Amino acid sequence: MKRGDGQNASNHLSAWVCPLLLALAAGCAAPRGTAPADARRFDFQRDTFAFANELRWEYRYDANGNWKTAWREPKPDYSQHCFVLARCTRQFFLNARFDPRQPIADEREYRRLVRRVVASSPRRSLPEGEKVVIPGYADLREFSRAQEALLKANCGGAWRSYFQRGHWRMIFPFTRRHQQSMAAQLVAHLARDGPLIVHV
């Protein structure tokens, strides 16, 4: 290989490696939302979905202490949506407002409203006047109990739980000190800004 060819190859390598490293670094640099001083506290009984996100596998120890897995029977109809529901829970909390005084809308209208919420930022709260108003229900728990099928169909596919920009960090080891530091940050965030999305 000529020296010039080696230089060109190096330039080509730098041309895509640098943007890749920048993109990976950006995965750690998620913007931090801030909650207004008068923001209400997250209420698990009101601000979560009424239906379950299940696993396709059952995990257990047998009589000899061996770890066993098996397909869940019957197969769950809604599974592997961990991140989807975590993200949507936060989006509804930050960017939607429920108004039980308004009449219940039709399916088409609720589909439109849910998609607006799902398209909103899970990191920053919309101003009160711009929040998506969900008519006919008092909170997310009540809404998801009545409109379960519609929400399952419109909150996002299971594939979203697997393709997240932050997943690449899980291949690196974490020290005890780092875990303690992160735990302290999470507790401080919960006290200051309310719920957040955590990959476990």
Side-chain angles (χ1 to χ4, degrees):
M1 179 185 291
K2 297 180 181 179
R3 183 175 181 180
D5 293 338
Q7 184 65 39
N8 289 336
S10 177
N11 290 340
H12 286 305
L13 185 63
S14 298
W16 67 266
V17 168
C18 291
L20 176 62
L21 292 176
L22 183 61
L24 290 176
C28 292
R32 296 185 178 183
T34 55
D38 60 346
R40 69 178 181 84
R41 303 286 292 181
F42 183 84
D43 184 338
F44 188 85
Q45 298 302 322
R46 298 176 53 203
D47 299 318
T48 56
F49 290 89
F51 53 84
N53 167 57
E54 299 183 83
L55 297 174
R56 295 184 181 180
W57 290 81
E58 291 183 336
Y59 305 90
R60 62 181 177 81
Y61 288 101
D62 64 15
N64 297 319
N66 298 313
W67 183 247
K68 298 291 184 180
T69 60
W71 287 106
R72 186 182 295 273
E73 295 293 344
K75 181 180 178 180
D77 65 345
Y78 191 76
S79 61
Q80 313 297 88
H81 287 73
C82 313
F83 178 82
V84 172
L85 288 189
R87 185 205 66 214
C88 287
T89 297
R90 182 166 166 83
Q91 287 172 309
F92 271 100
F93 181 73
L94 292 178
N95 301 320
R97 179 169 57 83
F98 291 88
D99 189 349
R101 296 168 299 180
Q102 294 189 30
I104 292 176
D106 59 25
E107 182 177 327
R108 181 178 180 181
E109 177 64 5
Y110 282 133
R111 185 183 303 111
R112 184 184 70 83
L113 295 173
V114 168
R115 289 177 177 176
R116 280 188 59 197
V117 174
V118 172
S120 68
S121 172
R123 296 182 177 86
R124 287 190 171 85
S125 178
L126 288 172
E128 191 62 30
E130 297 179 20
K131 291 185 185 295
V132 180
V133 178
I134 310 294
Y137 299 98
D139 49 50
L140 180 58
R141 182 66 66 92
E142 184 178 302
F143 180 50
S144 60
R145 185 178 294 115
Q147 302 290 340
E148 178 177 338
L150 183 142
L151 283 160
K152 286 179 176 179
N154 290 278
C155 282
W159 64 269
R160 295 175 183 269
S161 293
Y162 296 95
F163 296 95
Q164 297 298 321
R165 66 179 182 178
H167 282 359
W168 66 272
R169 288 172 286 179
M170 293 189 290
I171 66 175
F172 297 103
F174 298 94
T175 64
R176 291 288 186 184
R177 183 176 180 181
H178 176 80
Q179 291 175 331
Q180 291 174 346
S181 173
M182 182 55 62
Q185 290 181 46
L186 293 176
V187 171
H189 182 105
L190 288 170
R192 182 184 66 247
D193 298 327
L196 72 164
I197 300 170
V198 179
H199 295 249
V200 179

